[in-house]
Amino acid sequence: MTMLAGWLFADLFLILLVAGLTTLPAKSSGEPATRKPTPTAPPTPPPPAHPVGLDPNHIDLTVAMSPNTYRAGGADALLAQVNAQLDQKDPTHRAVGFVLVFASDDQAHVQRANDTAEDVFQLLHTRSKVFAAASGFGYWNGNHNNFEFKIFLLN
């Protein structure tokens, strides 16, 4: 009988070994199976109402003031005319991003016209709220007797 006890012990050990092996995960061929998360795209923000930057459609203004009148002390009158015309063409009062100022003068005084146009830009930049953030340049506009403006508003 003691001999049977050894076989009984070996059989029980074998059953426990098989039961333990069945609880282990099966080994697969190759790499272990891992679940890869599917990439999700981040939510896209809604597009802005207007594209950021300068509005590609510029506003043309012509002020029928002689550059000589401006240089003789007509800065306030020119500023008032530019603001009044801009109010008519842009009642929403968007800020100006870029402006080109053209001053007229005869061909012998091109540099004086450029200087006058640059001075007008500085006047607008410092004394008009809508031009406060604007960049710009002044140029000669031929032998006329006025000022012309190309104004690009910010979106």
Side-chain angles (χ1 to χ4, degrees):
M1 240 319 183
T2 53
M3 238 162 88
L4 283 176
W7 281 104
L8 183 63
F9 178 73
D11 288 340
L12 286 176
F13 183 72
L14 185 61
I15 291 172
L16 288 175
L17 179 68
V18 170
L21 289 176
T22 59
T23 62
L24 293 176
K27 184 177 180 182
S28 64
S29 62
E31 295 182 16
T34 57
R35 179 172 225 147
K36 295 181 181 178
T38 57
T40 58
T44 56
H50 296 286
V52 178
L54 292 177
D55 186 345
N57 302 314
H58 66 278
I59 296 174
D60 290 321
L61 301 181
T62 300
V63 176
M65 174 187 283
S66 165
N68 290 330
T69 304
Y70 169 78
R71 286 189 290 270
D76 291 334
L78 178 70
L79 183 61
Q81 288 184 42
V82 169
N83 283 330
Q85 287 188 35
L86 190 57
D87 285 345
Q88 289 176 348
K89 295 196 176 194
D90 180 44
T92 60
H93 301 285
R94 289 186 291 166
V96 174
F98 189 74
V99 61
L100 296 173
V101 180
F102 297 93
S104 303
D105 213 328
D106 58 44
Q107 202 163 5
H109 297 101
V110 172
Q111 187 58 47
R112 181 173 71 178
N114 286 340
D115 293 343
T116 302
E118 286 288 335
D119 188 52
V120 168
F121 168 71
Q122 289 303 321
L123 170 77
L124 294 172
H125 185 69
T126 57
R127 293 189 44 203
S128 180
K129 188 176 182 178
V130 294
F131 287 91
S135 296
F137 298 102
Y139 297 102
W140 175 61
N141 192 33
N143 194 12
H144 307 289
N145 203 21
N146 62 4
F147 288 95
E148 292 186 17
F149 301 87
K150 307 285 186 201
I151 299 172
F152 294 85
L153 301 174
L154 291 173
N155 281 330

